Structures are given as structure tokens and as C-alpha cells.
Amino acid sequence: MDFLEPMIALNETHYQDGYRDGYDDGLVSGKEEGRQVGLKMGFQVGEELGFYQGCLDVWMSIIRLDQDAFSARVRKYMEQLATLLSNYPLSDPENNHLQDMMKEIRLKFRVITGSLGAKLGYEGRPTSSEQDLEDI
């Protein structure tokens, strides 16, 4: 059995080297993939929030021109949407409440558009992941 020990040791060395190389390569590619996915998701969230903020800005401009353009109830909803948008933690992507906050924003937007009788909604971008990453 002594004559097999060097072969077993050599095999173990190659195994450890291969494992270490594979692990290191996995870390590098995992970080890059994570960065790309994070960039894409961050862009999508920002785009959606920007859509809601843009609609709100238009409605608030209308209110500045004509205080009675919308009912008091709708104006209250718009103020609530403005608060939700301004409180969204753009610089805290680890916040555990992001999904809940986005649901509240979407719901408030639907309440406003429903109250206005408008068929307006965020459509988003086409989701072909490779194309989206190239576009960014």
C-alpha cells in the first residue's frame, strides 16, 4: 500500500488546487452576475418610481393652475402618493420594506387613476434580460 500513497497525495493535491481555482472563479463570476442583476433591478425600480413621480408632477402642475381641477379626496390621495414617493429609500437597497412600499405606491397610483377615470398605468420595459443589460 505504501507505493499508492504518493499517487493518492498527488491526486488530493490536484483536487484541492482545482477546487480552490473553481471556487475563486465562482466568486468572481458570481459578483459580476450579481452586479449586473442589481444594476438591472435598480434601473427598473428607478424607472417605475420616475413614472409615478412624473405623473404626480403633471397633476400637481394642474393643481397649481386650477385649485379645483381635482376633488379634495383626489388631492389628498396625490399628497399621500407624494409622501410615499419621497419616503422610498433609494439609497438603502437592503431595506426589508422595499417591496411593501412599492406595493403601497402602486396601489395609491391605481386609486388616483381610478378616481380620475383614467386608464393609465406603468407598463415597464420589455424583459429580454440580455437586451436590457446591453441597453444599459
Side-chain angles (χ1 to χ4, degrees):
M1 287 279 192
D2 289 339
F3 70 94
L4 291 179
E5 285 182 25
M7 290 172 47
I8 293 172
L10 181 63
N11 188 36
E12 183 63 27
T13 300
H14 286 302
Y15 173 81
Q16 291 297 329
D17 289 345
Y19 178 85
R20 214 174 11 260
D21 290 345
Y23 182 83
D24 292 343
D25 289 347
L27 282 177
V28 170
S29 65
K31 285 181 184 178
E32 179 59 26
E33 184 177 336
R35 188 189 70 76
Q36 289 177 0
V37 169
L39 181 65
K40 178 182 173 193
M41 294 305 295
F43 182 83
Q44 289 172 346
V45 167
E47 182 181 46
E48 185 174 359
L49 290 172
F51 170 79
Y52 298 134
Q53 185 64 54
C55 291
L56 183 64
D57 289 347
V58 169
W59 295 329
M60 296 310 249
S61 294
I62 292 169
I63 290 171
R64 281 191 289 280
L65 295 174
D66 180 5
Q67 291 276 329
D68 298 322
F70 305 113
S71 70
R73 185 186 70 198
V74 171
R75 285 194 310 268
K76 180 180 173 189
Y77 294 152
M78 290 176 184
E79 289 169 11
Q80 292 169 343
L81 178 61
T83 300
L84 289 169
L85 288 168
S86 67
N87 289 337
Y88 192 89
L90 290 173
S91 59
D92 185 11
E94 301 290 322
N95 188 312
N96 293 331
H97 303 288
L98 289 179
Q99 294 295 328
D100 293 336
M101 295 174 84
M102 186 60 90
K103 284 179 187 175
E104 285 184 66
I105 290 169
R106 289 174 182 143
L107 178 61
K108 191 59 67 178
F109 184 81
R110 283 195 300 271
V111 167
I112 293 168
T113 56
S115 297
L116 296 176
K119 292 187 186 237
L120 181 63
Y122 176 71
E123 299 291 326
R125 291 170 42 119
T127 56
S128 65
S129 58
E130 290 297 318
Q131 189 61 42
D132 283 352
L133 289 174
E134 288 174 11
D135 290 346
I136 295 174

PDB file of all heavy atoms in Angstrom, residues 39-57:
ATOM      1  N   LEU A  39     -27.867  46.057 -11.020  1.00  0.00           N
ATOM      2  CA  LEU A  39     -27.959  47.236 -11.868  1.00  0.00           C
ATOM      3  C   LEU A  39     -29.275  47.242 -12.631  1.00  0.00           C
ATOM      4  O   LEU A  39     -29.980  48.250 -12.690  1.00  0.00           O
ATOM      5  CB  LEU A  39     -26.778  47.272 -12.841  1.00  0.00           C
ATOM      6  CG  LEU A  39     -26.710  48.454 -13.794  1.00  0.00           C
ATOM      7  CD1 LEU A  39     -26.503  49.748 -13.027  1.00  0.00           C
ATOM      8  CD2 LEU A  39     -25.579  48.240 -14.788  1.00  0.00           C
ATOM      9  N   LYS A  40     -29.614  46.098 -13.186  1.00  0.00           N
ATOM     10  CA  LYS A  40     -30.857  45.991 -13.953  1.00  0.00           C
ATOM     11  C   LYS A  40     -32.070  46.232 -13.057  1.00  0.00           C
ATOM     12  O   LYS A  40     -32.968  47.002 -13.409  1.00  0.00           O
ATOM     13  CB  LYS A  40     -30.948  44.607 -14.595  1.00  0.00           C
ATOM     14  CG  LYS A  40     -32.220  44.386 -15.373  1.00  0.00           C
ATOM     15  CD  LYS A  40     -32.283  42.997 -15.942  1.00  0.00           C
ATOM     16  CE  LYS A  40     -33.638  42.747 -16.556  1.00  0.00           C
ATOM     17  NZ  LYS A  40     -33.866  41.361 -16.857  1.00  0.00           N
ATOM     18  N   MET A  41     -32.095  45.593 -11.891  1.00  0.00           N
ATOM     19  CA  MET A  41     -33.233  45.751 -10.984  1.00  0.00           C
ATOM     20  C   MET A  41     -33.323  47.184 -10.467  1.00  0.00           C
ATOM     21  O   MET A  41     -34.412  47.751 -10.371  1.00  0.00           O
ATOM     22  CB  MET A  41     -33.135  44.767  -9.817  1.00  0.00           C
ATOM     23  CG  MET A  41     -33.250  43.310 -10.214  1.00  0.00           C
ATOM     24  SD  MET A  41     -34.748  42.923 -11.144  1.00  0.00           S
ATOM     25  CE  MET A  41     -35.989  43.250  -9.911  1.00  0.00           C
ATOM     26  N   GLY A  42     -32.191  47.774 -10.139  1.00  0.00           N
ATOM     27  CA  GLY A  42     -32.183  49.158  -9.678  1.00  0.00           C
ATOM     28  C   GLY A  42     -32.701  50.104 -10.748  1.00  0.00           C
ATOM     29  O   GLY A  42     -33.462  51.039 -10.461  1.00  0.00           O
ATOM     30  N   PHE A  43     -32.304  49.858 -11.987  1.00  0.00           N
ATOM     31  CA  PHE A  43     -32.772  50.685 -13.097  1.00  0.00           C
ATOM     32  C   PHE A  43     -34.284  50.558 -13.249  1.00  0.00           C
ATOM     33  O   PHE A  43     -34.986  51.554 -13.425  1.00  0.00           O
ATOM     34  CB  PHE A  43     -32.068  50.282 -14.394  1.00  0.00           C
ATOM     35  CG  PHE A  43     -32.466  51.113 -15.567  1.00  0.00           C
ATOM     36  CD1 PHE A  43     -31.877  52.346 -15.795  1.00  0.00           C
ATOM     37  CD2 PHE A  43     -33.450  50.677 -16.441  1.00  0.00           C
ATOM     38  CE1 PHE A  43     -32.258  53.136 -16.878  1.00  0.00           C
ATOM     39  CE2 PHE A  43     -33.830  51.446 -17.523  1.00  0.00           C
ATOM     40  CZ  PHE A  43     -33.241  52.681 -17.741  1.00  0.00           C
ATOM     41  N   GLN A  44     -34.799  49.336 -13.178  1.00  0.00           N
ATOM     42  CA  GLN A  44     -36.229  49.113 -13.337  1.00  0.00           C
ATOM     43  C   GLN A  44     -37.030  49.792 -12.232  1.00  0.00           C
ATOM     44  O   GLN A  44     -38.068  50.408 -12.495  1.00  0.00           O
ATOM     45  CB  GLN A  44     -36.543  47.618 -13.387  1.00  0.00           C
ATOM     46  CG  GLN A  44     -36.079  46.968 -14.670  1.00  0.00           C
ATOM     47  CD  GLN A  44     -36.219  45.452 -14.655  1.00  0.00           C
ATOM     48  OE1 GLN A  44     -36.415  44.844 -13.612  1.00  0.00           O
ATOM     49  NE2 GLN A  44     -36.100  44.843 -15.822  1.00  0.00           N
ATOM     50  N   VAL A  45     -36.550  49.692 -10.994  1.00  0.00           N
ATOM     51  CA  VAL A  45     -37.238  50.343  -9.880  1.00  0.00           C
ATOM     52  C   VAL A  45     -37.212  51.857 -10.069  1.00  0.00           C
ATOM     53  O   VAL A  45     -38.231  52.534  -9.908  1.00  0.00           O
ATOM     54  CB  VAL A  45     -36.606  49.940  -8.522  1.00  0.00           C
ATOM     55  CG1 VAL A  45     -37.099  50.841  -7.395  1.00  0.00           C
ATOM     56  CG2 VAL A  45     -36.910  48.487  -8.206  1.00  0.00           C
ATOM     57  N   GLY A  46     -36.061  52.388 -10.437  1.00  0.00           N
ATOM     58  CA  GLY A  46     -35.947  53.825 -10.660  1.00  0.00           C
ATOM     59  C   GLY A  46     -36.843  54.311 -11.786  1.00  0.00           C
ATOM     60  O   GLY A  46     -37.452  55.385 -11.699  1.00  0.00           O
ATOM     61  N   GLU A  47     -36.935  53.520 -12.827  1.00  0.00           N
ATOM     62  CA  GLU A  47     -37.781  53.878 -13.959  1.00  0.00           C
ATOM     63  C   GLU A  47     -39.254  53.913 -13.531  1.00  0.00           C
ATOM     64  O   GLU A  47     -39.990  54.844 -13.875  1.00  0.00           O
ATOM     65  CB  GLU A  47     -37.578  52.869 -15.092  1.00  0.00           C
ATOM     66  CG  GLU A  47     -38.375  53.184 -16.333  1.00  0.00           C
ATOM     67  CD  GLU A  47     -38.165  52.141 -17.419  1.00  0.00           C
ATOM     68  OE1 GLU A  47     -38.204  50.935 -17.127  1.00  0.00           O
ATOM     69  OE2 GLU A  47     -37.974  52.556 -18.572  1.00  0.00           O
ATOM     70  N   GLU A  48     -39.670  52.920 -12.770  1.00  0.00           N
ATOM     71  CA  GLU A  48     -41.066  52.866 -12.319  1.00  0.00           C
ATOM     72  C   GLU A  48     -41.376  54.023 -11.372  1.00  0.00           C
ATOM     73  O   GLU A  48     -42.402  54.693 -11.498  1.00  0.00           O
ATOM     74  CB  GLU A  48     -41.367  51.528 -11.643  1.00  0.00           C
ATOM     75  CG  GLU A  48     -42.818  51.368 -11.252  1.00  0.00           C
ATOM     76  CD  GLU A  48     -43.176  49.997 -10.716  1.00  0.00           C
ATOM     77  OE1 GLU A  48     -42.299  49.115 -10.645  1.00  0.00           O
ATOM     78  OE2 GLU A  48     -44.352  49.811 -10.352  1.00  0.00           O
ATOM     79  N   LEU A  49     -40.481  54.275 -10.413  1.00  0.00           N
ATOM     80  CA  LEU A  49     -40.680  55.392  -9.493  1.00  0.00           C
ATOM     81  C   LEU A  49     -40.716  56.714 -10.254  1.00  0.00           C
ATOM     82  O   LEU A  49     -41.508  57.610  -9.935  1.00  0.00           O
ATOM     83  CB  LEU A  49     -39.587  55.417  -8.429  1.00  0.00           C
ATOM     84  CG  LEU A  49     -39.630  54.293  -7.395  1.00  0.00           C
ATOM     85  CD1 LEU A  49     -38.380  54.322  -6.528  1.00  0.00           C
ATOM     86  CD2 LEU A  49     -40.881  54.369  -6.545  1.00  0.00           C
ATOM     87  N   GLY A  50     -39.859  56.846 -11.257  1.00  0.00           N
ATOM     88  CA  GLY A  50     -39.842  58.050 -12.079  1.00  0.00           C
ATOM     89  C   GLY A  50     -41.142  58.256 -12.838  1.00  0.00           C
ATOM     90  O   GLY A  50     -41.616  59.390 -12.985  1.00  0.00           O
ATOM     91  N   PHE A  51     -41.732  57.165 -13.303  1.00  0.00           N
ATOM     92  CA  PHE A  51     -43.029  57.247 -13.984  1.00  0.00           C
ATOM     93  C   PHE A  51     -44.081  57.815 -13.043  1.00  0.00           C
ATOM     94  O   PHE A  51     -44.812  58.751 -13.393  1.00  0.00           O
ATOM     95  CB  PHE A  51     -43.453  55.864 -14.494  1.00  0.00           C
ATOM     96  CG  PHE A  51     -44.868  55.817 -15.001  1.00  0.00           C
ATOM     97  CD1 PHE A  51     -45.180  56.290 -16.268  1.00  0.00           C
ATOM     98  CD2 PHE A  51     -45.876  55.302 -14.207  1.00  0.00           C
ATOM     99  CE1 PHE A  51     -46.485  56.250 -16.731  1.00  0.00           C
ATOM    100  CE2 PHE A  51     -47.196  55.266 -14.665  1.00  0.00           C
ATOM    101  CZ  PHE A  51     -47.499  55.736 -15.928  1.00  0.00           C
ATOM    102  N   TYR A  52     -44.155  57.250 -11.827  1.00  0.00           N
ATOM    103  CA  TYR A  52     -45.145  57.723 -10.856  1.00  0.00           C
ATOM    104  C   TYR A  52     -44.886  59.177 -10.473  1.00  0.00           C
ATOM    105  O   TYR A  52     -45.814  59.973 -10.373  1.00  0.00           O
ATOM    106  CB  TYR A  52     -45.156  56.845  -9.604  1.00  0.00           C
ATOM    107  CG  TYR A  52     -45.538  55.403  -9.875  1.00  0.00           C
ATOM    108  CD1 TYR A  52     -44.819  54.357  -9.333  1.00  0.00           C
ATOM    109  CD2 TYR A  52     -46.619  55.083 -10.709  1.00  0.00           C
ATOM    110  CE1 TYR A  52     -45.158  53.038  -9.581  1.00  0.00           C
ATOM    111  CE2 TYR A  52     -46.962  53.771 -10.965  1.00  0.00           C
ATOM    112  CZ  TYR A  52     -46.229  52.750 -10.404  1.00  0.00           C
ATOM    113  OH  TYR A  52     -46.567  51.444 -10.657  1.00  0.00           O
ATOM    114  N   GLN A  53     -43.613  59.528 -10.282  1.00  0.00           N
ATOM    115  CA  GLN A  53     -43.271  60.905  -9.918  1.00  0.00           C
ATOM    116  C   GLN A  53     -43.617  61.864 -11.056  1.00  0.00           C
ATOM    117  O   GLN A  53     -44.116  62.966 -10.814  1.00  0.00           O
ATOM    118  CB  GLN A  53     -41.781  61.021  -9.566  1.00  0.00           C
ATOM    119  CG  GLN A  53     -41.380  62.402  -9.066  1.00  0.00           C
ATOM    120  CD  GLN A  53     -42.046  62.775  -7.760  1.00  0.00           C
ATOM    121  OE1 GLN A  53     -41.958  62.032  -6.798  1.00  0.00           O
ATOM    122  NE2 GLN A  53     -42.709  63.924  -7.727  1.00  0.00           N
ATOM    123  N   GLY A  54     -43.378  61.442 -12.291  1.00  0.00           N
ATOM    124  CA  GLY A  54     -43.716  62.276 -13.445  1.00  0.00           C
ATOM    125  C   GLY A  54     -45.212  62.542 -13.537  1.00  0.00           C
ATOM    126  O   GLY A  54     -45.642  63.678 -13.785  1.00  0.00           O
ATOM    127  N   CYS A  55     -46.018  61.501 -13.335  1.00  0.00           N
ATOM    128  CA  CYS A  55     -47.477  61.677 -13.346  1.00  0.00           C
ATOM    129  C   CYS A  55     -47.893  62.624 -12.226  1.00  0.00           C
ATOM    130  O   CYS A  55     -48.702  63.539 -12.435  1.00  0.00           O
ATOM    131  CB  CYS A  55     -48.183  60.331 -13.180  1.00  0.00           C
ATOM    132  SG  CYS A  55     -48.012  59.237 -14.605  1.00  0.00           S
ATOM    133  N   LEU A  56     -47.333  62.421 -11.051  1.00  0.00           N
ATOM    134  CA  LEU A  56     -47.645  63.276  -9.908  1.00  0.00           C
ATOM    135  C   LEU A  56     -47.260  64.730 -10.197  1.00  0.00           C
ATOM    136  O   LEU A  56     -48.022  65.655  -9.884  1.00  0.00           O
ATOM    137  CB  LEU A  56     -46.926  62.763  -8.655  1.00  0.00           C
ATOM    138  CG  LEU A  56     -47.215  63.506  -7.362  1.00  0.00           C
ATOM    139  CD1 LEU A  56     -48.688  63.371  -6.972  1.00  0.00           C
ATOM    140  CD2 LEU A  56     -46.332  62.970  -6.239  1.00  0.00           C
ATOM    141  N   ASP A  57     -46.103  64.943 -10.808  1.00  0.00           N
ATOM    142  CA  ASP A  57     -45.663  66.300 -11.143  1.00  0.00           C
ATOM    143  C   ASP A  57     -46.655  66.979 -12.095  1.00  0.00           C
ATOM    144  O   ASP A  57     -46.961  68.167 -11.933  1.00  0.00           O
ATOM    145  CB  ASP A  57     -44.269  66.275 -11.775  1.00  0.00           C
ATOM    146  CG  ASP A  57     -43.171  65.935 -10.783  1.00  0.00           C
ATOM    147  OD1 ASP A  57     -43.424  65.955  -9.559  1.00  0.00           O
ATOM    148  OD2 ASP A  57     -42.047  65.627 -11.246  1.00  0.00           O
TER     149      ASP A  57
END
